[in-house]
């Protein structure tokens, strides 16, 4: 899918529903031919991304951030500096990389002061689990790198353990920085040590066999499908059949319906889908159109139309839940 945005609009952020932004389209969006691609996960207030983008005008800087305040802060910095080479996406970094980038397309990924999630029960939330590192590895160019800065020695040790069979790992305590970030300044003021962890793809340790051993198949992750609405003769369900109920669509894909609003010609269904761990909350709209009913996602929902959502809409339309 191609997204056409005139460079003059200075639009720097994309809604989920506008994904994917494939690399082949990037030159068109930012007006730079074959740019070097840098990604930052969790850019906070955006100062690192903006400073880098000012220094390297012929490269593209793409940031993922889940905080809306962070997105707004980056927006205003980009406007102030009138930068055209920064894009940002309000999305989880792992899923954002999965949806937006083809394999072997990124030069370098920066992760500055990621949440360390120190408790063992939250380990899965860390950005450097083996599963996440395998995906990041796939998205990097052959000589690509990941650079992580952190104040947490435990996080460094954990990351080395997870990464050592996938990347060439270098780690050191760092004292000099040409760009600082909010969290870096905070930890330096408190006298904490700062560590860098550099993960290099150049020594490619990940083989198809080892991927199987890690029991993580990227091919199984949700795929984007630009499906159209379903037209049906009759909607098979009553409100009480669906409201506050959970259904299994297939292995790894579950759906829960919350509140349902019924109007004269329209039913709105609040829906949560979990697709191999990727969760999306949205509204399904069932609307009478003449003699038929149309089933689709409400246009007010910002969703990535995935294979799982397509299967859900199909089953709901056909009365097969
Ligand atoms: C500790 S702050 C560091 C911010 C900034 N990099 C700095 O150095 O000042 C971690 C940031 O990561 C963001 N974040 C947390 N989980 C994320 C995820 N899964 N994907 C993208 N960003 C995430 C948070 O919203 C927060 O802004």
């Amino acid at each position: 899918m191609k997204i056409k945005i005139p460079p003059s609009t200075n639009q720097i952020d994309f809604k989920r529903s506008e994904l994917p932004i494939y690399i082949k389209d990037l030159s068109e969006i930012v007006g730079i031919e074959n740019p070097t691609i840098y990604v930052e996960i969790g850019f906070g207030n955006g100062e690192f991304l903006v400073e880098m983008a000012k220094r390297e005008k012929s490269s593209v800087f793409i940031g993922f951030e889940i905080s809306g305040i962070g997105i707004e802060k980056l927006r205003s910095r980009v406007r102030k500096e009138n930068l055209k080479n920064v894009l940002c996406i309000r999305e989880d970094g792992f899923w954002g990389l999965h949806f937006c980038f083809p394999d072997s397309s990124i030069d370098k990924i920066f992760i500055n002061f990621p949440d360390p999630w120190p408790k063992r029960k939250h380990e899965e939330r860390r950005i450097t689990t083996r599963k996440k590192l395998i995906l990041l590895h796939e998205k990097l160019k052959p000589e690509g790198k990941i650079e992580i800065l952190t104040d947490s020695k435990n996080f460094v040790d954990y990351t080395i353990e997870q990464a050592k069979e996938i990347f060439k790992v270098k780690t050191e305590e760092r004292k000099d920085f040409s760009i600082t970030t909010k969290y870096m300044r905070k930890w330096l003021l408190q006298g904490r040590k700062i560590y860098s962890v550099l993960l290099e793809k150049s020594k490619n340790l990940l083989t198809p066999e080892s991927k199987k051993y890690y029991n993580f198949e990227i091919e199984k992750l949700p795929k984007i499908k630009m499906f159209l609405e379903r037209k049906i003769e009759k909607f098979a369900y009553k409100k009480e059949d669906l409201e506050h109920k959970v259904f299994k669509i297939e292995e790894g894909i579950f759906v829960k319906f919350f509140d349902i609003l019924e109007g004269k010609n329209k039913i709105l269904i609040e829906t949560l889908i979990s697709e191999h761990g990727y969760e999306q909350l949205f509204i399904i709209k069932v609307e009478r159109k003449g003699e038929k009913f149309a089933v689709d996602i409400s246009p007010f929902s910002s969703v990535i139309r995935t294979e799982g959502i397509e299967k859900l809409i199909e089953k709901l339309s056909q009365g097969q839940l």
Side-chain angles (χ1 to χ4, degrees):
M1 190 190 86
K2 281 217 164 190
I3 302 162
K4 290 213 171 68
I5 297 163
S8 57
T9 57
N10 201 10
Q11 176 159 0
I12 60 153
D13 61 331
F14 289 87
K15 294 197 190 81
R16 266 188 168 180
S17 51
E18 289 165 336
L19 300 179
I21 304 160
Y22 282 136
I23 292 305
K24 60 181 162 52
D25 302 332
L26 268 182
S27 315
E28 214 170 295
I29 295 168
V30 295
I32 301 168
E33 270 306 306
N34 296 321
T36 305
I37 311 286
Y38 295 108
V39 167
E40 185 179 0
I41 298 177
F43 57 72
N45 64 18
E47 58 193 316
F48 178 83
L49 208 59
V50 163
E51 194 47 45
M52 291 286 288
K54 272 164 67 182
R55 293 180 189 187
E56 278 192 48
K57 290 252 166 66
S58 60
S59 302
V60 175
F61 294 84
I62 302 163
F64 291 100
E65 176 56 64
I66 52 174
S67 150
I69 294 171
I71 299 272
E72 283 311 315
K73 286 185 175 163
L74 177 74
R75 253 176 185 277
S76 79
R77 281 178 203 274
V78 167
R79 291 236 167 85
K80 200 167 143 221
E81 302 290 344
N82 197 23
L83 292 168
K84 302 276 186 254
N85 56 339
V86 179
L87 300 172
C88 74
I89 302 164
R90 189 171 182 182
E91 182 60 86
D92 169 279
F94 171 76
W95 291 109
L97 285 174
H98 167 62
F99 285 120
C100 298
F101 292 91
D103 290 351
S104 305
S105 59
I106 301 171
D107 290 271
K108 190 163 179 181
I109 299 171
F110 295 97
I111 313 175
N112 294 318
F113 303 93
D115 297 328
W117 294 108
K119 289 186 185 152
R120 205 178 163 79
K121 66 175 178 187
H122 294 143
E123 195 180 312
E124 275 302 301
R125 298 185 191 175
R126 295 177 196 156
I127 187 71
T128 52
T129 61
R130 192 163 284 147
K131 167 180 160 177
K132 290 178 191 167
L133 287 175
I134 291 173
L135 183 98
L136 267 56
H137 180 278
E138 297 291 289
K139 301 296 168 186
L140 286 170
K141 287 183 183 167
E143 302 291 316
K145 294 180 181 59
I146 303 173
E147 192 171 338
I148 303 166
L149 291 178
T150 180
D151 63 301
S152 163
K153 184 71 172 65
N154 285 341
F155 187 80
V156 171
D157 295 341
Y158 172 82
T159 301
I160 294 171
E161 200 45 44
Q162 298 293 303
K164 68 182 184 204
E165 287 158 354
I166 308 170
F167 291 95
K168 186 174 164 195
V169 183
K170 279 188 206 156
T171 176
E172 59 177 356
E173 192 190 325
R174 286 266 305 272
K175 293 218 164 78
D176 298 318
F177 305 95
S178 71
I179 304 174
T180 64
T181 73
K182 182 177 160 189
Y183 275 80
M184 183 192 290
R185 291 189 295 275
K186 183 173 164 180
W187 303 139
L188 286 172
L189 263 174
Q190 292 184 13
R192 296 208 207 177
K193 288 181 179 166
I194 307 281
Y195 306 93
S196 85
V197 182
L198 189 68
L199 308 178
E200 294 182 41
K201 184 169 173 172
S202 54
K203 194 175 160 196
N204 193 346
L205 299 169
L206 205 59
T207 61
E209 290 70 40
S210 65
K211 269 190 246 171
K212 269 190 210 125
Y213 164 73
Y214 294 134
N215 196 20
F216 172 61
E217 290 173 56
I218 289 165
E219 295 68 35
K220 279 199 181 151
L221 294 181
K223 310 252 176 342
I224 291 182
K225 275 277 185 115
M226 289 296 161
F227 57 92
L228 298 170
E229 64 175 20
R230 297 285 186 276
K231 285 258 172 60
I232 49 174
E233 301 297 328
K234 195 173 178 326
F235 188 57
Y237 297 102
K238 293 197 191 70
K239 185 172 165 162
E240 57 271 24
D241 299 332
L242 304 174
E243 205 166 46
H244 304 294
K245 299 222 162 70
V246 177
F247 297 89
K248 181 176 173 180
I249 304 297
E250 62 176 46
E251 211 47 55
I253 308 181
F254 296 88
V255 63
K256 176 161 186 183
F257 298 114
F258 295 96
D259 290 348
I260 298 180
L261 295 178
E262 281 180 308
K264 197 161 163 255
N265 290 314
K266 211 188 275 183
I267 306 167
L268 297 175
I269 309 168
E270 195 183 11
T271 310
L272 175 76
I273 191 167
S274 170
E275 211 176 328
H276 303 282
Y278 185 60
E279 291 173 4
Q280 299 202 80
L281 187 63
F282 55 95
I283 308 287
I284 294 175
K285 185 178 68 169
V286 182
E287 196 173 13
R288 184 186 285 279
K289 286 194 174 167
E291 292 300 298
K292 296 198 170 193
F293 289 86
V295 185
D296 202 355
I297 313 284
S298 154
F300 295 106
S301 305
S302 186
V303 289
I304 300 182
R305 291 182 172 233
T306 53
E307 231 167 35
I309 296 184
E310 184 186 47
K311 283 176 184 160
L312 161 64
I313 298 286
E314 184 63 28
K315 282 185 184 274
L316 188 68
S317 315
Q318 302 306 324
Q320 291 169 352
L321 279 177

